[in-house]
Amino acid sequence: MRRSKATVYLDPAVLRAARVHAARTGKSASDVVEDALREYLGLGLLQRIRAKADLSEDEAMKLANDELHAMRAERDRDP
């Protein structure tokens, strides 16, 4: 997969923690940040759904969006 360069500003403690995690797992700091963003943005969920199901890309995206909307509706109902 082709990557694009991005400049971000992080709290020094967060950057240090990312670098430590990268060293412990044998990953690059970029991989750690990308993995964290994928999870935060819900892209990890979509990949797990695709791996477990025989769905087209459109079907997988619809399922992920439906789940996201259901989660938000549930969150908004709970005081």
Side-chain angles (χ1 to χ4, degrees):
M1 168 177 41
R2 184 173 176 269
R3 290 184 166 184
S4 297
K5 183 177 178 177
T7 300
V8 296
Y9 296 91
L10 302 173
D11 180 283
V14 172
L15 181 57
R16 188 171 30 260
R19 288 179 173 157
V20 168
H21 182 76
R24 288 183 178 160
T25 59
K27 294 182 175 184
S28 69
S30 292
D31 287 338
V32 169
V33 171
E34 185 174 342
D35 290 347
L37 279 170
R38 285 181 181 282
E39 285 301 314
Y40 181 80
L41 296 172
L43 300 175
L45 172 63
L46 185 56
Q47 289 175 339
R48 289 190 298 276
I49 290 171
R50 284 182 181 161
K52 291 182 179 182
D54 188 23
L55 300 174
S56 71
E57 184 174 344
D58 288 340
E59 292 169 327
M61 186 62 76
K62 182 178 181 331
L63 178 59
N65 282 326
D66 290 348
E67 288 299 316
L68 180 61
H69 291 296
M71 179 197 70
R72 286 179 178 163
E74 184 177 324
R75 179 195 63 201
D76 292 344
R77 277 194 306 267
D78 294 336

